[in-house]
Amino acid sequence: MACSISRRTLLGTASALLPLPGIVRARGDEPEFEMKMGNDNPMTHPNTIRQQEAADRILKETNGRVKISIFPNNQLGGDTDMLSQLRSGALEFMTLSGLILSTYTPLSSIYGIGYAFPNYDKVWAAMDGDLGKMIRDSVDKAGLYGFEKIWDNGFRQISSSTHPIRTPEDLKGYKIRVPVSPLWTSMFEAFGAAPASINFSEVYSALQTKIVEGQENPLINIETAKLYEVQKYVSMTRHMWDGFIMLGNGRNWKSLPRDVRTVISRNLNGSAEDQRKDYADSDVTMRATLEKQGMTFNEPEPEAFRKTLIKAGFYDKWKEKYGAGAWSVLEKYTGKIGT
Ligand code: X2X
């Protein structure tokens, strides 16, 4: 006798095996949740690659119920445009430097203080520890959601089309692009440079048309954005560390079912760990690649730059802005700064 199992029974049994309460979705069913994620990184950048991997895993694990579409390379607009979309809920997710976000959440730039972190061990202890928690709490209060694992954006180096940066003197009057952020502007003003706040989406053309002489970024961003086509020198100043906070719109995020939030968090945080590995040794691998593209490198002595910031009162200014409490959380991981 043919064993006939009703579709409802089959679906009921099958759904019991799924990681999520749900039903086995018939092929072609529309996703229950369709969302967008934006970033300012090219297609070949680890952010785009790892975010797409996470989105693929989420779609599979939810059996097609949750679809996140990735829009890389400023397709949805520059960082400040995407941030406005995120805050309104028109965009559900984006990665953004805490220093750019700090126009709304001042504390989120504290990790970017010049020469604060000497190495990645201290970076991750801080960002996966109390400093990251403090920043995420400030992000949540601003109506956004900060995922537990921050993504890496590396130690930053200065590139130039006119001359290498060997000493702080070389930064006097230097027309340098910086991301749109009070801390970035303040740091290069303290060096005596002439910083211009420009979204990454406009950096290549600003360098090409000589609106600015140079910019600063980790080597992986210089390579993936092809800035070697419009820059000649790279000075390994390593003047700060930056990260990309994975952000969600707070209201959208809280409206999702708990099981959906669990799958999204696990996969986005997992991809953050993968992306950190991509960045970890990129300064070595990317230097060889960029030298092949014709860039020349120099290694300036950092102490003279750090002393310039001290003399300009940069550390005192920002310790007062963040407050002694937040500053002590930072120094818990970095040791005394600005002395
Ligand atoms: O805008 C930049 O320089 C970049 C790509 O590093 C950031 O998103 C902060």
Side-chain angles (χ1 to χ4, degrees), residues 15-304:
S15 65
L17 302 176
L18 287 176
L20 290 168
I23 56 168
V24 177
R25 304 181 71 75
R27 184 175 298 284
D29 277 8
E30 287 309 304
E32 187 179 346
F33 302 98
E34 284 204 78
M35 295 173 276
K36 300 187 299 299
M37 180 181 291
N39 72 42
D40 65 4
N41 314 106
M43 289 297 286
T44 57
H45 190 280
N47 281 14
T48 302
I49 294 164
R50 298 303 186 179
Q51 287 165 15
Q52 186 58 58
E53 288 176 352
D56 294 345
R57 291 195 305 266
I58 291 164
L59 186 70
K60 188 160 181 255
E61 282 186 35
T62 60
N63 193 39
R65 190 178 164 216
V66 179
K67 180 179 180 188
I68 299 177
S69 300
I70 311 299
F71 292 86
N73 214 18
N74 300 295
Q75 290 175 2
L76 299 177
D79 281 325
T80 44
D81 299 333
M82 284 193 281
L83 179 54
S84 302
Q85 295 165 39
L86 184 80
R87 294 183 71 227
S88 72
L91 175 61
E92 288 82 10
F93 304 104
M94 76 178 290
T95 33
L96 183 70
S97 165
L99 280 78
I100 299 173
L101 181 62
S102 68
T103 40
Y104 295 106
T105 57
L107 267 185
S108 63
S109 63
I110 192 168
Y111 66 70
I113 286 289
Y115 300 101
F117 290 104
N119 55 53
Y120 271 119
D121 286 348
K122 291 190 183 291
V123 165
W124 301 131
M127 300 315 292
D128 291 338
D130 294 341
L131 191 72
K133 175 79 172 64
M134 181 181 78
I135 291 171
R136 288 196 306 278
D137 289 348
S138 72
V139 168
D140 290 358
K141 287 194 188 85
L144 298 174
Y145 175 72
F147 284 81
E148 295 79 1
K149 294 291 182 185
I150 192 169
W151 296 51
D152 194 2
N153 194 21
F155 287 91
R156 297 176 79 90
Q157 325 294 351
I158 297 176
S159 68
S160 175
S161 61
T162 52
H163 61 280
I165 304 299
R166 291 195 176 88
T167 70
E169 283 309 303
D170 292 329
L171 285 174
K172 292 271 182 288
Y174 184 64
K175 291 188 292 180
I176 186 167
R177 173 268 173 179
V178 293
V180 181
S181 160
L183 182 65
W184 252 304
T185 299
S186 166
M187 192 187 307
F188 282 90
E189 283 176 345
F191 282 132
S197 299
I198 301 173
N199 273 321
F200 196 60
S201 50
E202 309 300 328
V203 167
Y204 187 98
S205 57
L207 293 167
Q208 191 175 39
T209 56
K210 308 289 186 210
I211 290 173
V212 289
E213 300 172 71
Q215 63 87 48
E216 42 85 63
N217 248 291
L219 301 189
I220 197 164
N221 292 350
I222 295 174
E223 202 279 330
T224 52
K226 300 186 188 315
L227 300 186
Y228 50 82
E229 295 176 348
V230 289
Q231 296 280 264
K232 173 71 183 159
Y233 305 99
V234 177
S235 304
M236 299 295 276
T237 48
R238 204 178 161 91
H239 51 276
M240 59 176 282
W241 175 80
D242 184 32
F244 291 107
I245 304 175
M246 176 58 77
L247 294 166
N249 169 274
R251 199 176 46 256
N252 292 356
W253 178 251
K254 291 186 183 99
S255 71
L256 293 173
R258 180 183 300 277
D259 61 342
V260 171
R261 294 202 303 263
T262 301
V263 174
I264 293 175
S265 292
R266 175 164 26 85
N267 281 287
L268 288 183
N269 290 327
S271 277
E273 301 275 13
D274 294 336
Q275 185 261 15
R276 292 180 184 182
K277 296 185 186 101
D278 298 333
Y279 258 81
D281 58 2
S282 62
D283 267 0
V284 173
T285 54
M286 288 296 161
R287 176 163 177 165
T289 303
L290 291 168
E291 282 174 332
K292 286 195 186 91
Q293 297 290 5
M295 299 197 91
T296 59
F297 285 73
N298 69 293
E299 317 266 351
E301 172 49 50
E303 193 51 19

Side-chain angles (χ1 to χ4, degrees), residues 7-17:
R7 174 179 161 80
R8 179 173 295 280
T9 309
L10 176 65
L11 290 179
T13 309
S15 65
L17 302 176

